[in-house]
Amino acid sequence: MIVTGACDFSSSLSVASSSSSSSAIAVSPFNVSSLSSNPKFINSSSTLFRSLSFSLIHHRNSYSRRSLRHLSSHTIHRNKTQFFSKPSPRTPPLFTANSTAQRTGTFVEHLTGITESEEGSNEANDFGDVESARNDIRNVATRRVETEFEVRELEELPEEWRRSKLAWLCKEVPSHKAVTLVRLLNAQKKWVRQEDATYIAVHCMRLRENETGFRVYRWMTQQNWYRFDFGLATKLADFLGKERKFTKCREVFDDILNQGRVPRESTFHILVVAYLSSSVEGCLEEACSVYNRMIQLGGYQPHLSLHNSLFRALLSKQGGGSLNDHLKQAEFIFHNVVTTGLEVQKDIYSGLIWLHSCQDEVDKDRINSLREEMKKAGFQESKEVVVSLLRAYAKEGGVEEVEKTWLELLNLDSGIPSQAFVYKMEAYSKVGDFAKALEVFREMEKHLGGATVTGYHKIIEVLCKFQQVESAESLLKEFVESGKKPLLPSYIEIALMYFDLGLHEKLEMAFVECLEKCQPSQTIYNIYLESLVKIGNLEKAGDVFDEMKNNGTINVNARSCNTLLKGYLDSGKQVRAERVYDLMRLKKYEIEPPLMEKLDYILSLKRKEVKRPLSMKLSKEQREVLVGLLLGGLQIESDKEKKSHMIKFEFRENSQAHLVLKHHIHDQFREWLHPLSDFQEDIIPFEFYSISHSFFGFYADHFWPKGQPEIPKLIHRWLSPHSLAYWYMYSGFRTSQGDIILRLKGSLEGVEKVVKALRGKSMECRVKKKGKVFWIGLQGTNSALFWKLIEPHILEDLKDHLKPASESMGNDGEAEEQSINIESSSLSQ
């Protein structure tokens, strides 16, 4: 049979049971909105109906090919009225953003807190979301290039034994899991050919067992007789993408590219939608990459809904990636929409203006150009646009433009968002009028019934900048009494003001008060440390430094070390200065040039050479930490030649353990991090990258050999207590019964090695597989033994959070937090 990639397998044909003497074939309606009226397409679609009308296992001799061809042709002509010709580039799309039943929040709702109830029914805000792009994939068939791949029918095979074995495999393969499936196929290696494996893969896709079809496909690619099949790869990628299995879809997509072929427009479209449908970190960046290739490599003209969906995702994505990158991508989308003659909707203009207003250096000419284009298109400037303008003018201190824009905002009579007050305060701060900024803050309180957290942060920052001590202290007290949080940014501003004014006693009081009301912060500790060094209280400064060093949540950095080193050198405490110097060499911190000159003189007296920070080499502690994190799911990205590798440090925002751990890991691998990952201490994101380096090749080869997580064969040698501790902190948790659960991804054989290694340390464990993840449970006395082994390496702030309860001794409970039942059966059995 001939399977045509241009049609949608998801529109399946239902075949009656073979037990009936006169089997009827019922054809369900196509789930397609727009198909080509080209006769060539009709013929290939007819062929697909022919091929799918057969049951791959049972209906070998039920129908004659002539009657089937007659039925398929009749079906196509009967449904021909449902088909539409290809629309011209300027034809309005069949499915627009307004067709969505429920829209998501716009970018200004994220920025200013404007709610839908405030806006009323604003149709201009309804532009393409992911659902409309998903629906419009049906229209992509109008621009596909026909490609067929051939699958012979069972009755066409000359050998009876081959027909029987193939029918048996088609029945067995979908019923087995991955490992058993591979073993089953390996057992048939002697007789299975590419045509046979393709037949099985197509059969799985007909049953909508697309993951099984992918496993068969992946097994095929590893055989020495395999030859690339573009049609099969395309159809498999499309199916996987429609099920939102973007990782597997991307694998097949990359296979097509690696063969020097350009994927079809449908494959590009489906993969972008699959990425946009996921909330996994990094998917937006991947969606942008595939979209750009779609246009630049394939030369395709995507449907309007795809442009709009990606644009909406860029506006709503606050974290991950820089706003500058988002702006470049948004401008590229805007350019594509304009050049292909598609309708530019109002929110495209509004969103672009907002993104421009977010930049550090605002391009006012571009903003004015967009406003002009918006007016020519007949759109009036909404509140979102006016607020964006207010933000842009405030950054440059354009008070006159801000006041003019403020009047426009009042004339809209739709309420003033809280951020507008903040922007106005910032504008007056730029010109040095702190009194007017304070006046705006009071207007905010009156208008909104109370100031917002952002409002307090801004006005305290302004007053501290102009060293208005009494006013700043009064507002901080008011802020604390309001019960609003977070307070930390305001305490940092107050502490900096005290330091600049030499009010060290007040700074100490603010520091103590901050520790009582806020989470420990490296920044506030550094300010206090500098204050102690400046007044010459080196004993207390040393104690504070040791407290920072021993607390994994705070830790020291280059700033802390240089501050204390300067204090010791200036006061002649050479022995203590050498200790700080040794620590800085160990952590590979840069020493400030003036301090280096003093160290050179001091150490030369002892005939010691001042050494620069050590060369790039992972320490024993860093290696063990990496092993633990990689077991917990840390990712490694490699270049195509696999000559250099990059580690992606990713942490969950909703995890208390990850909130503490990310600061510690950022400091632990500071010298290995990408320059763009050199963030301020208190705003370390939940995702950052290492530099690309060949030193990570060992870990890439053992833990991510083919771009997928794997458990090394020698893992039993590397499971040190230090590694186990970081594995537990990164991807483990304590159950409500006090037991310990560890998360692990990899092969069954790899999990067996880990279990045996734990048993070698006198710990029995139970294992449960859920999807592609294994959960290893340590219960009762085993959890107590595990904790005793790793406790010295657990961060202090996480010990209470992760320590197994004493009641867990002998308790065989369930891991309720993840709804995972740890079974008693062992993997090794």
Side-chain angles (χ1 to χ4, degrees):
M1 63 180 177
I2 307 293
V3 180
T4 306
C7 294
D8 191 344
F9 274 25
S10 61
S11 305
S12 60
L13 303 176
S14 57
V15 184
S17 172
S18 61
S19 59
S20 173
S21 59
S22 59
S23 302
I25 302 179
V27 183
S28 60
F30 260 90
N31 189 20
V32 179
S33 300
S34 175
L35 297 175
S36 174
S37 58
N38 189 329
K40 181 181 177 181
F41 179 81
I42 298 296
N43 292 337
S44 55
S45 300
S46 174
T47 308
L48 174 64
F49 276 107
R50 270 203 316 276
S51 62
L52 293 185
S53 300
F54 282 104
S55 167
L56 292 177
I57 301 178
H58 301 294
H59 298 278
R60 299 181 190 169
N61 302 307
S62 299
Y63 312 104
S64 68
R65 300 183 68 81
R66 182 177 301 173
S67 62
L68 179 60
R69 186 180 300 110
H70 174 74
L71 173 62
S72 302
S73 176
H74 172 70
T75 305
I76 290 292
H77 288 292
R78 185 179 62 189
N79 291 317
K80 190 173 181 179
T81 56
Q82 300 178 16
F83 298 166
F84 298 88
S85 61
K86 176 179 178 179
S88 65
R90 297 183 180 274
T91 303
L94 296 176
F95 292 87
T96 64
N98 294 331
S99 65
T100 17
Q102 184 178 5
R103 71 181 181 90
T104 58
T106 64
F107 61 96
V108 179
E109 291 174 8
H110 289 279
L111 177 69
T112 65
I114 299 174
T115 61
E116 202 166 317
S117 59
E118 290 176 330
E119 289 297 308
S121 58
N122 186 359
E123 294 182 0
N125 286 336
D126 288 328
F127 74 109
D129 58 10
V130 177
E131 188 60 37
S132 61
R134 187 178 301 148
N135 292 335
D136 282 332
I137 185 55
R138 301 165 185 170
N139 297 325
V140 176
T142 62
R143 295 189 290 276
R144 294 186 191 171
V145 178
E146 304 296 338
T147 302
E148 300 175 350
F149 62 100
E150 184 175 351
V151 182
R152 300 176 66 184
E153 288 291 346
L154 282 176
E155 67 270 14
E156 296 176 359
L157 300 178
E159 307 99 331
E160 176 64 30
W161 65 268
R162 184 178 294 277
R163 293 199 296 268
S164 299
K165 285 193 173 185
L166 199 54
W168 173 75
L169 273 179
C170 287
K171 179 181 178 182
E172 290 295 320
V173 164
S175 62
H176 291 291
K177 294 184 179 180
V179 177
T180 310
L181 183 148
V182 171
R183 290 173 179 169
L184 182 65
L185 291 174
N186 284 337
Q188 316 303 317
K189 270 186 177 181
K190 291 183 179 179
W191 66 271
V192 170
R193 303 171 302 188
Q194 178 153 343
E195 295 80 4
D196 304 321
T198 302
Y199 191 95
I200 299 168
V202 172
H203 170 71
C204 294
M205 286 188 278
R206 287 192 63 236
L207 299 178
R208 304 199 180 195
E209 294 284 347
N210 297 319
E211 282 206 61
T212 305
F214 172 79
R215 294 188 188 109
V216 175
Y217 166 82
R218 186 52 68 206
W219 180 83
M220 288 171 61
T221 61
Q222 297 169 358
Q223 309 309 310
N224 54 12
W225 41 253
Y226 175 72
R227 296 294 180 270
F228 179 72
D229 190 328
F230 180 77
L232 175 62
T234 297
K235 184 49 59 181
L236 182 59
D238 288 0
F239 275 19
L240 292 167
K242 287 177 183 178
E243 288 189 349
R244 310 293 162 256
K245 301 184 186 304
F246 56 83
T247 304
K248 292 183 173 62
C249 177
R250 183 59 183 268
E251 281 191 43
V252 184
F253 177 87
D254 289 340
D255 286 348
I256 297 174
L257 290 176
N258 292 337
Q259 291 294 324
R261 306 289 296 273
V262 179
R264 289 206 199 122
E265 183 179 358
S266 65
T267 310
F268 278 107
H269 190 121
I270 289 170
L271 183 54
V272 173
V273 173
Y275 276 128
L276 293 180
S277 301
S278 172
S279 59
V280 176
E281 197 69 34
C283 279
L284 175 59
E285 288 71 24
E286 291 298 329
C288 292
S289 173
V290 175
Y291 169 87
N292 295 344
R293 284 188 178 187
M294 181 180 187
I295 294 168
Q296 296 167 347
L297 181 63
Y300 298 119
Q301 295 182 3
H303 198 279
L304 178 63
S305 65
L306 189 67
H307 297 295
N308 288 340
S309 298
L310 188 56
F311 195 92
R312 176 185 289 275
L314 288 168
L315 296 180
S316 61
K317 182 72 172 179
Q318 296 291 315
S322 68
L323 285 172
N324 186 44
D325 292 338
H326 289 178
L327 175 61
K328 290 178 181 178
Q329 185 66 46
E331 285 283 11
F332 182 62
I333 296 171
F334 177 79
H335 171 77
N336 292 326
V337 173
V338 171
T339 54
T340 53
L342 297 173
E343 177 188 0
V344 183
Q345 298 179 345
K346 182 178 180 180
D347 272 11
I348 294 287
Y349 291 113
S350 303
L352 265 181
I353 293 173
W354 175 75
L355 280 172
H356 274 286
S357 74
C358 292
Q359 305 305 307
D360 294 332
E361 295 184 8
V362 179
D363 188 347
K364 291 173 66 175
D365 292 337
R366 178 57 179 157
I367 290 177
N368 292 331
S369 172
L370 288 168
R371 293 177 70 190
E372 286 298 322
E373 292 183 36
M374 194 174 179
K375 289 177 183 177
K376 289 180 182 178
F379 296 127
Q380 291 184 348
E381 292 181 353
S382 62
K383 179 165 65 173
E384 290 91 340
V385 174
V386 177
V387 171
S388 297
L389 293 174
L390 195 66
R391 177 178 191 165
Y393 297 145
K395 284 189 173 182
E396 296 186 349
V399 173
E400 292 182 3
E401 292 174 313
V402 165
E403 289 292 353
K404 184 179 177 181
T405 309
W406 185 266
L407 291 177
E408 291 181 20
L409 189 59
L410 291 176
N411 292 333
L412 290 176
D413 196 25
S414 56
I416 303 177
S418 61
Q419 283 292 340
F421 289 98
V422 176
Y423 301 150
K424 195 174 180 182
M425 282 187 271
E426 183 177 357
Y428 282 105
S429 170
K430 294 283 186 181
V431 297
D433 194 347
F434 63 86
K436 185 63 177 177
L438 183 57
E439 184 182 324
V440 173
F441 175 78
R442 295 305 178 190
E443 287 179 15
M444 178 188 195
E445 288 183 311
K446 183 178 179 181
H447 184 81
L448 300 177
T452 62
V453 171
T454 312
Y456 274 114
H457 288 168
K458 176 53 69 176
I459 191 59
I460 292 174
E461 175 192 331
V462 171
L463 293 173
C464 290
K465 176 182 177 182
F466 294 99
Q467 299 181 348
Q468 300 299 305
V469 179
E470 292 183 4
S471 299
E473 289 174 344
S474 174
L475 279 170
L476 179 60
K477 182 179 179 182
E478 182 183 317
F479 187 17
V480 172
E481 291 174 351
S482 70
K484 294 181 172 71
K485 291 184 178 182
L487 300 168
L488 182 60
S490 294
Y491 272 110
I492 290 174
E493 293 294 338
I494 288 278
L496 287 171
M497 179 184 66
Y498 287 150
F499 183 83
D500 292 337
L501 293 173
L503 302 175
H504 298 286
E505 291 183 4
K506 283 194 171 186
L507 192 155
E508 184 171 12
M509 292 172 61
F511 172 76
V512 173
E513 188 177 334
C514 177
L515 294 186
E516 293 174 354
K517 302 182 183 302
C518 310
Q519 286 287 335
S521 158
Q522 190 180 73
T523 301
I524 197 75
Y525 266 93
N526 276 335
I527 297 170
Y528 182 49
L529 183 65
E530 289 174 7
S531 172
L532 293 172
V533 170
K534 191 169 185 178
I535 63 176
N537 193 348
L538 296 180
E539 291 297 327
K540 195 166 188 178
D543 293 339
V544 171
F545 184 85
D546 290 339
E547 182 182 343
M548 295 172 67
K549 185 175 63 174
N550 296 329
N551 190 328
T553 309
I554 306 167
N555 223 317
V556 295
N557 61 359
R559 177 183 173 184
S560 317
C561 294
N562 278 299
T563 298
L564 191 60
L565 181 61
K566 182 179 184 302
Y568 286 150
L569 289 175
D570 290 344
S571 62
K573 298 183 181 294
Q574 298 179 4
V575 176
R576 294 187 180 184
E578 286 185 49
R579 291 175 186 170
V580 177
Y581 162 70
D582 290 338
L583 176 65
M584 294 182 75
R585 287 191 62 245
L586 182 64
K587 288 184 171 287
K588 305 176 182 68
Y589 291 149
E590 286 292 334
I591 301 172
E592 294 175 0
L595 302 181
M596 183 65 75
E597 293 176 6
K598 291 184 179 181
L599 274 172
D600 192 11
Y601 173 72
I602 292 171
L603 296 179
S604 65
L605 297 177
K606 299 184 178 183
R607 297 181 180 179
K608 287 187 178 181
E609 180 185 355
V610 178
K611 298 179 181 178
R612 298 286 173 176
L614 300 175
S615 60
M616 296 289 284
K617 187 176 181 180
L618 288 168
S619 65
K620 180 177 183 294
E621 183 180 1
Q622 287 173 325
R623 294 196 297 270
E624 292 182 338
V625 169
L626 269 183
V627 169
L629 296 179
L630 287 166
L631 282 174
L634 200 69
Q635 296 184 31
I636 297 181
E637 298 179 1
S638 306
D639 59 17
K640 292 182 179 179
E641 292 79 18
K642 292 193 174 182
K643 293 182 179 179
S644 62
H645 314 269
M646 180 184 294
I647 296 180
K648 179 182 179 182
F649 294 95
E650 189 173 6
F651 301 89
R652 296 189 303 274
E653 295 186 35
N654 58 351
S655 169
Q656 179 63 32
H658 279 212
L659 188 63
V660 174
L661 192 59
K662 71 167 183 171
H663 287 271
H664 175 72
I665 295 300
H666 186 275
D667 181 75
Q668 189 89 347
F669 291 89
R670 186 198 58 80
E671 73 277 12
W672 290 95
L673 297 184
H674 193 278
L676 296 178
S677 298
D678 190 15
F679 306 98
Q680 297 179 23
E681 293 83 352
D682 292 306
I683 55 173
I684 295 173
F686 287 87
E687 177 184 310
F688 48 87
Y689 290 83
S690 73
I691 58 174
S692 185
H693 205 288
S694 59
F695 281 0
F696 299 126
F698 172 82
Y699 300 95
D701 293 341
H702 288 85
F703 289 91
W704 284 80
K706 296 180 180 178
Q708 294 294 324
E710 187 56 79
I711 302 171
K713 295 180 180 179
L714 300 177
I715 188 61
H716 58 283
R717 297 185 182 178
W718 306 333
L719 282 181
S720 67
H722 202 172
S723 298
L724 290 171
Y726 278 84
W727 179 17
Y728 180 34
M729 287 189 287
Y730 188 65
S731 67
F733 64 90
R734 180 186 63 187
T735 69
S736 56
Q737 285 79 20
D739 301 323
I740 289 175
I741 305 295
L742 299 169
R743 181 179 182 272
L744 185 63
K745 290 184 74 173
S747 64
L748 183 64
E749 292 80 1
V751 176
E752 288 178 348
K753 290 183 174 64
V754 173
V755 171
K756 288 179 180 178
L758 291 174
R759 286 177 178 168
K761 300 179 186 295
S762 303
M763 288 176 284
E764 290 293 332
C765 54
R766 297 179 177 181
V767 179
K768 174 71 176 181
K769 185 178 181 184
K770 191 174 180 69
K772 299 178 181 179
V773 178
F774 291 92
W775 297 90
I776 298 177
L778 294 143
Q779 300 173 296
T781 54
N782 295 301
S783 66
L785 288 171
F786 183 78
W787 179 256
K788 184 178 179 181
L789 180 68
I790 67 171
E791 184 180 10
H793 308 286
I794 298 290
L795 299 180
E796 286 295 328
D797 286 355
L798 294 181
K799 286 188 177 180
D800 291 339
H801 181 70
L802 297 175
K803 182 179 180 179
S806 57
E807 301 86 52
S808 68
M809 304 298 289
N811 177 35
D812 292 338
E814 295 181 346
E816 294 180 356
E817 291 182 28
Q818 299 289 341
S819 302
I820 298 170
N821 178 29
I822 304 300
E823 309 249 343
S824 58
S825 58
S826 171
L827 286 175
S828 61
Q829 293 177 349

